[in-house]
Amino acid sequence: MNAMETHILEVKDVYKHFKEVKAVDGVNFSVNSGEFIALLGPNGAGKTTTVEMIEGIQVPKRGEILISGMTWKRDEKSIRNKIGISLQETRFIDKLTTKETIQLFASFYKLPSSRVDEVLEIVNLSEKKKSFVQNLSGGQRQKLALAIALLNNAPLLLLDEPTTGLDPTARREIWNILIDLKRNRKTSLILTTHYMEEAEYLCDRIIIMDKGKILAQGTLDELLSANNSKEIIEFSTYDSFPNDFFCYDGVYKLVWDERTNSGKLIVGSIVAQLPIFLERINQLGIKLNQLECRKLTLDDLFISMTGKHLAD
């Protein structure tokens, strides 16, 4: 099977600059049929610009994007039937019902009314089909946006932060819908999210971006295995720290939060480094408020690469 048959999407050496800002700066990745990919990065990392170029909303300055072997320049009409899109925020007409809203979008694809009923069932909105959009909860509105993205049975879904602002119960409902899609059909997904747990739960592979570049990509196990020699000393204090406090062998990096006087010390070995850490703390007369030692997690890895939390 050749690359064109196995890859639903190929992003090849793509650049997008806005004046002096390098929003996307030489990005390369591919998505296989049936694969769920998480695109992680702090605000300004280039995630949304990357997704918008895949969606055809933005045009790359350089590079190539192939969807089922097709490009937007040559095959725009065909590509529109290959993708389903849910943006960060979707505005609906308040005085239309849930079903009328989906029927409106179905008419763009010339789809039968039976398909409208199918997607209402898929996203668990059948009981709300006669409800006006203005009366839907935040979670139900997100389900409605997802229903519209699913209408044309697209093999590639692009969901830009689909659960932002939802409560944990509503978020889990969206997750369950996506997991069912994954089980029942060969749907591929690119997901941007501010929730690390969401990426871990839903996605086969994770791409970490910052400042327009891909810093790492792979399965969760691959990303952690590549850094399995690293461990975490996590702590908070009643005092700030001198800049050169952790400049000694065995310490890879300190991620320090001045707002909370807390830090994560990434070390090669807790057993080797904890006594040195405690000795230096004692020498400086710094009082610890909290101390925890543990293995590296995806969240730790993200912070060590970007210097930021995912929601920053």
Side-chain angles (χ1 to χ4, degrees), residues 91-108 116 129 131-133 136 144-145 148 151:
R91 299 277 183 183
F92 298 115
I93 301 171
D94 285 344
K95 294 299 183 180
L96 288 182
T97 66
T98 302
K99 185 169 183 177
E100 287 169 343
T101 302
I102 299 174
Q103 285 173 327
L104 174 63
F105 284 88
S107 69
F108 301 153
V116 174
K129 64 183 179 182
S131 298
F132 288 115
V133 168
L136 298 181
L144 178 55
I148 291 166
L151 266 173

Side-chain angles (χ1 to χ4, degrees), residues 66-114:
L66 298 174
I67 299 173
S68 293
M70 300 179 291
T71 67
W72 280 103
K73 188 173 182 179
R74 296 193 310 261
D75 313 288
E76 179 177 346
K77 187 174 181 179
S78 296
I79 287 178
R80 297 217 176 273
N81 290 317
K82 293 286 186 181
I83 62 173
I85 298 170
S86 178
L87 304 176
Q88 283 186 27
E89 185 177 356
T90 306
R91 299 277 183 183
F92 298 115
I93 301 171
D94 285 344
K95 294 299 183 180
L96 288 182
T97 66
T98 302
K99 185 169 183 177
E100 287 169 343
T101 302
I102 299 174
Q103 285 173 327
L104 174 63
F105 284 88
S107 69
F108 301 153
Y109 294 103
K110 297 182 172 58
L111 297 173
S113 59
S114 59

Side-chain angles (χ1 to χ4, degrees), residues 203-217:
C203 295
D204 304 299
R205 198 151 46 90
I206 294 165
I207 298 173
I208 298 176
M209 284 188 72
D210 194 28
K211 298 177 182 175
K213 294 183 179 293
I214 291 177
L215 304 184
Q217 60 178 305

Side-chain angles (χ1 to χ4, degrees), residues 114-289:
S114 59
R115 182 57 186 162
V116 174
D117 292 328
E118 283 176 15
V119 296
L120 278 166
E121 187 70 28
I122 289 170
V123 300
N124 301 318
L125 279 180
S126 294
E127 293 183 359
K128 293 290 182 179
K129 64 183 179 182
K130 294 182 179 180
S131 298
F132 288 115
V133 168
Q134 66 182 10
N135 296 326
L136 298 181
S137 67
Q140 289 163 349
R141 284 172 179 256
Q142 286 300 89
K143 286 181 181 180
L144 178 55
L146 182 56
I148 291 166
L150 296 175
L151 266 173
N152 62 336
N153 264 319
L156 177 63
L157 287 178
L158 298 118
L159 306 184
D160 199 0
E161 299 181 22
T163 65
T164 295
L166 300 186
D167 63 59
T169 300
R171 190 174 303 135
R172 279 281 176 177
E173 288 176 358
I174 298 291
W175 293 3
N176 290 337
I177 293 167
L178 294 174
I179 287 294
D180 284 342
L181 282 174
K182 191 175 185 182
R183 288 195 193 105
N184 297 331
R185 17 180 317 213
K186 282 290 183 184
T187 303
S188 302
L189 170 69
I190 296 178
L191 172 78
T192 69
T193 179
H194 275 149
Y195 300 107
M196 195 67 71
E197 184 188 2
E198 186 163 276
E200 293 181 25
Y201 183 76
L202 290 175
C203 295
D204 304 299
R205 198 151 46 90
I206 294 165
I207 298 173
I208 298 176
M209 284 188 72
D210 194 28
K211 298 177 182 175
K213 294 183 179 293
I214 291 177
L215 304 184
Q217 60 178 305
T219 65
L220 178 60
D221 286 343
E222 286 169 348
L223 291 174
L224 294 180
S225 294
N227 294 272
N228 65 2
S229 61
K230 297 176 183 177
E231 298 177 326
I232 298 289
I233 299 173
E234 189 169 12
F235 62 97
S236 63
T237 74
Y238 296 102
D239 311 278
S240 59
F241 275 90
N243 292 334
D244 61 349
F245 182 87
F246 297 108
C247 295
Y248 56 89
D249 290 342
V251 174
Y252 292 104
K253 190 169 185 178
L254 167 69
V255 180
W256 180 255
D257 188 339
E258 291 184 355
R259 297 169 297 178
T260 59
N261 271 3
S262 62
K264 292 181 180 181
L265 194 64
I266 302 169
V267 299
S269 167
I270 289 170
V271 172
Q273 297 303 326
L274 185 58
I276 301 172
F277 170 79
L278 293 174
E279 181 181 355
R280 300 194 75 176
I281 288 281
N282 187 53
Q283 287 172 350
L284 290 172
I286 294 172
K287 292 183 179 180
L288 286 174
N289 182 34

